[in-house]
Amino acid sequence: MFDYVIIGAGIIGTSIAKELSRYETSVLVLEKENDVANHQTVANSAIIHSGHDPKEGTLKAKLCVKGNQMYEDLENDFGIPLLKTGAFVVAHNIDQENMLDALYQRGLNNGVKNMKMLSIQEALQEEPNLSPTITKVLSLPSTKVTYPWEVAFKQLECAINNGVIFQKNSRVTAIKKVSNHFEITINDKTIIETKSVISAAGIFSDQIARMIETNVQYDIKPRKGEYFVLDRKVKGFINHVIYPLPTEKGKGVLIVPQVHGNILLGPTSTTQDEKDLLSNTRVGMDQIKEDTKRLAVNIPFDQIIRTFAGIRASSSYDDFFIQESKEFKNFFHVAGIDSPGLTAAPAIAKYLVDEVINHHLTLKKSFNPIIQKHKAFYSLPDDEKQRLYQEDHRYGNLVCKCEKITEKEIVDSIHGPLGNDTVKGIKKRARAGSGLCQGGYCESLVLKIIAKETNQPLPNINYYGLNTPILVEETKVKK
Ligand SMILES: Cc1cc2nc3c(=O)[nH]c(=O)nc-3n(C[C@H](O)[C@H](O)[C@H](O)COP(=O)(O)OP(=O)(O)OC[C@H]3O[C@@H](n4cnc5c(N)ncnc54)[C@H](O)[C@@H]3O)c2cc1C
């Protein structure tokens, strides 16, 4: 019997796992996919928001501001990438300037530090490509950008090092209360027992709640956001996150510099019934172009290398829903975690464990918050590259030419902590396939390396999860 079962290994489930691993307690994380961070956590803007925008007094406001600060610890402990961009929120006329003043006041009330109002002339000195139709700017120096799924990997790696168990390909299909514990059914067959359940299932949280509660207090209302990705060549075109003024639909369509030099344009915001419809639309793509042209001039749309979409787990509750079930003691909801959920994640985990669960757990003396830091081979000094190449000649075989990723780094991604044997899993870890050609050159090579390392035939290798093969059969087999 476990003390805690966490359902879902996105940024929220993995952050809770890390937080609980500080204590003398047994924890199991269940994830239905064959990888960590396959849903919202892999498809968002990657911004560590300052906290200027959530309504005063909400959990979103409190945990966003706190989470923003806690990312500095994650940078120190795990070496996660954290680009200190700062952000500009822009106004175009006197009405919007008044709204900008109100936003500044909200930021102050929420505890956001170092905000400043800038004239367009002052802002243009820092960002020459800002649209000259802008009249005033709110500067938010505490805004940062990270690499979201790497944060989730590191949170879980730290949790596992401190005793947590992770089980992927494990879809929770039923939950039952039996005397003073819960029985959780995985994939309609295996049953495990636990004293407490924590649901961190993103857009599926309401489905999980309905497995046990008769009166679920929220519905998840999926809200899609579409994006363009610009090639790394555009690095420096814009250096701050650029926000328009927020509306009731969210923070609007943004320009977001990314940690590896790319720039994101997006996201749109459209509600839909489907929880897994991730297609890009003509309407969405046109809207991104229209909206971003109000933020900056000369946007290099000819450098678009990719489109993608993510689905926000927005809820009818209108704030993060982090509560113990009213029907079942020791069943905890961490639901409705849409933006700023990535920012708030470490603070959500702490709030849940300290203030909602509040089980007075004993701290583990052996808890180690530090994990091994990792640097991409191409970013190392030449003598270090030479040393590594002498140790292992696979560092000399460049597989992904766009992102300069070597065979050894791909092999490490397959076998490393939280290793993975899918093409998308390798892309998430080593970045092979993330560049200009989007895997056109290296995907077949990655496929062959996975097949060799896992001792499987090529048609068995999946793109991103179970039963998603890229190849049907080999056509040129030597007899
Ligand atoms: C378009 C978009 C832009 C955003 N931009 C930002 C931003 O810039 N900054 C910011 O702070 N936040 C942002 N967010 C919000 C942020 O991405 C989310 O709040 C955060 O990723 C939520 O993490 P999660 O772990 O709750 O959900 P998820 O990452 O969706 O994880 C939930 C996990 O639960 C698993 N699961 C579900 N059902 C089951 C089951 N039955 N059994 C087992 N496992 C199950 C899923 O497979 C999934 O892995 C954005 C979100 C979107 C969609």
Side-chain angles (χ1 to χ4, degrees):
M1 165 113 54
F2 288 94
D3 292 324
Y4 298 92
V5 165
I6 300 170
I7 305 171
I11 188 66
I12 300 300
T14 55
S15 300
I16 297 168
K18 198 290 262 329
E19 191 57 33
L20 278 173
S21 73
R22 296 175 189 279
Y23 299 97
E24 295 290 353
T25 187
S26 58
V27 181
L28 170 69
V29 181
L30 296 174
E31 170 54 56
K32 69 178 167 58
E33 305 287 338
N34 94 328
D35 201 3
V36 178
N38 260 12
H39 283 264
Q40 283 181 99
T41 304
V42 80
N44 57 64
S45 310
I47 304 169
I48 303 308
H49 297 289
S50 62
H52 64 288
D53 156 55
K55 269 190 226 138
E56 291 96 333
T58 58
L59 277 182
K60 283 190 179 181
K62 179 177 143 188
L63 299 176
C64 180
V65 173
K66 188 159 177 218
N68 177 298
Q69 292 154 7
M70 291 173 82
Y71 266 83
E72 307 280 336
D73 296 335
L74 294 179
E75 186 187 28
N76 287 335
D77 292 349
F78 300 163
I80 56 152
L82 207 52
L83 194 62
K84 317 267 166 70
T85 56
F88 285 172
V89 193
V90 303
H92 284 89
N93 52 46
I94 194 74
D95 288 346
Q96 291 196 354
E97 288 183 20
N98 291 337
M99 289 158 75
L100 207 59
D101 289 339
L103 206 59
Y104 177 80
Q105 192 52 50
R106 177 177 279 185
L108 283 181
N109 296 343
N110 287 346
V112 180
K113 301 249 165 50
N114 303 325
M115 292 181 299
K116 218 165 63 180
M117 284 295 188
L118 303 179
S119 67
I120 179 63
Q121 291 75 17
E122 287 169 317
L124 278 168
Q125 279 178 6
E126 291 187 57
E127 287 291 1
N129 287 314
L130 275 190
S131 165
T133 57
I134 293 167
T135 54
K136 201 171 174 188
V137 168
L138 170 60
S139 166
L140 304 164
S142 59
T143 306
K144 321 173 228 288
V145 173
T146 190
Y147 203 50
W149 49 99
E150 190 169 329
V151 184
F153 292 150
K154 301 284 182 191
Q155 293 278 46
L156 190 55
E157 197 180 322
C158 177
I160 290 170
N161 289 350
N162 289 291
V164 167
I165 298 173
F166 173 53
Q167 213 173 289
K168 57 187 182 179
N169 299 320
S170 301
R171 180 187 291 271
V172 172
T173 48
I175 307 173
K176 201 160 103 187
K177 178 92 194 192
V178 184
S179 63
N180 60 353
H181 68 273
F182 296 89
E183 279 184 2
I184 295 191
T185 310
I186 302 171
N187 298 331
D188 290 318
K189 15 182 222 275
T190 322
I191 291 182
I192 49 156
E193 295 180 331
T194 176
K195 291 179 195 158
S196 296
V197 180
I198 298 166
S199 167
I203 43 176
F204 304 98
S205 316
D206 52 350
Q207 291 176 2
I208 296 287
R210 278 187 215 105
M211 288 179 190
I212 181 152
E213 290 185 332
T214 49
N215 194 7
V216 178
Q217 288 173 276
Y218 60 87
D219 285 316
I220 298 295
K221 298 171 179 270
R223 205 155 42 83
K224 182 155 83 178
E226 299 183 50
Y227 292 92
F228 285 129
V229 184
L230 304 184
D231 186 42
R232 284 199 282 134
K233 269 197 225 108
V234 303
K235 185 174 179 192
F237 165 72
I238 285 282
N239 293 302
H240 292 72
V241 173
I242 312 292
Y243 299 96
L245 279 158
T247 65
E248 75 286 349
K249 284 173 95 182
K251 294 179 191 66
V253 174
L254 326 170
I255 302 180
V256 192
Q258 297 289 290
V259 294
H260 291 285
N262 307 81
I263 290 185
L264 288 188
L265 307 178
T268 55
S269 177
T270 35
T271 46
Q272 60 182 34
D273 293 332
E274 301 85 354
K275 295 198 168 191
D276 50 5
L277 185 64
L278 285 163
S279 53
N280 284 104
T281 62
R282 166 58 56 200
V283 174
M285 304 283 90
D286 287 346
Q287 191 201 332
I288 296 174
K289 287 191 174 171
E290 270 320 292
D291 289 2
T292 49
K293 280 185 205 161
R294 280 197 281 274
L295 305 178
V297 288
N298 306 322
I299 299 176
F301 292 116
D302 58 340
Q303 297 298 321
I304 293 170
I305 57 170
R306 191 171 173 242
T307 60
F308 71 93
I311 301 183
R312 305 170 183 87
S314 301
S315 88
S316 52
Y317 184 70
D318 208 23
D319 194 2
F320 294 154
F321 188 85
I322 308 174
Q323 299 186 13
E324 186 168 21
S325 164
K326 297 214 168 4
E327 295 176 47
F328 296 96
K329 196 167 160 40
N330 292 330
F331 185 99
F332 299 97
H333 300 274
V334 189
I337 312 293
D338 55 0
S339 186
L342 170 68
T343 310
I348 288 177
K350 194 157 170 42
Y351 170 75
L352 173 80
V353 173
D354 293 355
E355 298 184 41
V356 182
I357 296 181
N358 193 17
H359 281 169
H360 304 291
L361 302 166
T362 310
L363 275 169
K364 225 182 245 167
K365 287 205 181 73
S366 60
F367 175 73
N368 181 3
I370 313 289
I371 55 174
Q372 203 187 346
K373 300 187 174 81
H374 169 80
K375 281 204 159 156
F377 181 75
Y378 77 84
S379 68
L380 299 173
D382 282 351
D383 54 344
E384 178 66 1
K385 279 188 190 153
Q386 276 297 336
R387 191 188 64 73
L388 287 170
Y389 173 71
Q390 291 311 329
E391 263 177 28
D392 194 318
H393 279 26
R394 288 174 295 182
Y395 279 115
N397 179 17
L398 203 57
V399 175
C400 170
K401 297 211 156 89
C402 304
E403 298 297 297
K404 304 194 193 81
I405 311 298
T406 65
E407 180 183 351
K408 176 68 169 66
E409 291 169 287
I410 290 167
V411 170
D412 288 347
S413 302
I414 298 168
H415 300 299
L418 291 173
N420 195 264
D421 60 0
T422 65
V423 172
K424 190 169 169 190
I426 300 311
K427 183 176 177 181
K428 277 160 79 184
R429 286 159 178 79
R431 285 186 53 76
S434 302
L436 180 61
C437 85
Q438 286 293 299
Y441 173 76
C442 68
E443 201 161 83
S444 59
L445 302 175
V446 170
L447 209 66
K448 283 182 190 156
I449 297 171
I450 299 173
K452 181 174 162 219
E453 292 297 317
T454 58
N455 207 13
Q456 298 181 73
L458 278 170
N460 279 18
I461 308 305
N462 285 311
Y463 178 60
Y464 67 91
L466 296 176
N467 307 318
T468 58
I470 296 180
L471 304 178
V472 180
E473 60 181 314
E474 293 192 50
T475 52
K476 290 186 181 169
V477 183
K478 281 190 192 141
K479 301 264 179 206

